[in-house]
């Protein structure tokens, strides 16, 4: 079961997203209203998924960099009621993996997370296949010498 942490200043939003994730089969191991306590939850639980409100990121982009550095395999989802192209582009550049739109629609949230996880697995498999394909000729060449 994939573990998730929710960081959002709105208790209502945290509660709703918590319910959607739990109903979708995710293990919500923590939720909080500040980045500092969110990082503490990440240290404690080492989650696979981090859902963080846009305003938390706008208060300091370094939180995304810190999450990416400390938990490079964690998927980061920005949560907001509105997204524009500039915000999405800037978020991707920071390392955000996906976007969850408020108000939450359970199917949309779960599909967004699922599709992002699938895309990540496909990228990892492609990278592994490429690495092994590149390594095979080298192994054959060293054996022939």
């Amino acid at each position: 079961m994939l573990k998730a942490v929710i960081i959002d200043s709105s208790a209502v939003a945290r509660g709703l997203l918590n319910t959607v994730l739990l109903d979708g089969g995710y293990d919500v191991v923590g939720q909080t209203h500040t980045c500092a306590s969110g990082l503490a939850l990440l240290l404690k639980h080492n989650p696979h998924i981090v859902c963080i409100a846009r305003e938390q990121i706008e208060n300091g982009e370094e939180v995304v960099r810190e999450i990416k550095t400390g938990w490079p395999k964690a998927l980061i989802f920005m949560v907001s009621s509105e997204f524009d192209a500039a915000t999405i582009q800037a978020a991707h550049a920071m390392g955000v993996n996906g976007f969850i739109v408020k108000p939450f629609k359970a199917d949309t949230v779960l599909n967004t997370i699922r599709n992002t996880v699938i895309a990540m697995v496909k990228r990892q498999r492609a990278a592994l296949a490429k690495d092994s394909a590149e390594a095979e000729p080298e192994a054959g060449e060293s054996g022939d010498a």
Side-chain angles (χ1 to χ4, degrees), residues 51-92:
C51 299
I52 184 168
R54 179 179 175 180
E55 66 269 8
Q56 299 290 341
I57 294 172
E58 288 176 346
N59 290 341
E61 295 176 4
E62 67 275 353
V63 71
V64 174
R65 285 188 212 99
E66 196 168 339
I67 293 169
K68 280 296 189 191
T69 301
W71 299 269
K73 293 183 179 180
L75 296 174
I76 302 172
F77 292 89
M78 181 186 282
V79 181
S80 181
S81 59
E82 56 184 59
F83 291 105
D84 55 46
T87 300
I88 291 171
Q89 187 174 15
H92 274 302

Side-chain angles (χ1 to χ4, degrees), residues 106-135:
D107 289 345
T108 304
V109 170
L110 297 175
N111 283 334
T112 297
I113 293 172
R114 182 175 70 59
N115 291 340
T116 303
V117 169
I118 290 170
M120 181 192 71
V121 168
K122 284 181 180 178
R123 280 193 303 274
Q124 288 176 341
R125 286 184 180 164
L128 287 172
K130 180 181 175 190
D131 289 346
S132 65
E134 289 174 356

